[in-house]
Amino acid sequence: MLSYQIFFYLTTGLLAANALPQVKLLSKLPKNPIETPAPDVWAWGVHPNGLGYKARNGLALELCIKYPELAGGALCNGNTYPADVCASSIVFAKTEGCAGAAEDITFLQCVGDAQICRAKICDKRVSNKDFCPPLV
């Protein structure tokens, strides 16, 4: 008798759980998205505790350039910056994203800024740091 009751409650519980309405996912992009939407960037999903949003692991190159304070952080890791961006700020010049720009940066870009001139990115173009402008 007890086994029938257990069986009844388990089956009723399983049937009730399956009968619950599933959430219909409707996603709309914002009017002015900060990134170009793509299937690997924007995604919605069902989680055990409700709805969830999946974003990519980092920021787009344009955002990292627009906000230099983020350039050295984890959100901008993996981005490769062009030489002119690397020469524009010491924050960029010190990032891993500017490691390959040492080949493309010019002598004039290096000596244009005292801090950048002394950074590792300018070692090939300005080996004698006496040519660098004085630090203020």
Side-chain angles (χ1 to χ4, degrees), residues 18-95:
N18 286 336
L20 293 175
Q22 296 294 314
V23 177
K24 184 176 181 182
L25 300 177
L26 298 174
S27 61
K28 294 182 181 178
L29 293 175
K31 290 182 182 178
N32 298 316
I34 58 173
E35 292 182 309
T36 304
D40 61 333
V41 177
W42 295 70
W44 294 94
V46 177
H47 293 275
N49 60 348
L51 296 177
Y53 168 74
K54 175 197 165 279
R56 51 185 242 182
N57 291 333
L59 295 176
L61 178 66
E62 295 80 23
L63 286 174
C64 293
I65 292 173
K66 186 175 180 181
Y67 301 103
E69 62 273 8
L70 299 174
L75 291 174
C76 291
N77 281 349
N79 285 331
T80 303
Y81 303 105
D84 60 331
V85 172
C86 295
S88 69
S89 166
I90 189 65
V91 174
F92 287 113
K94 289 182 175 180
T95 63

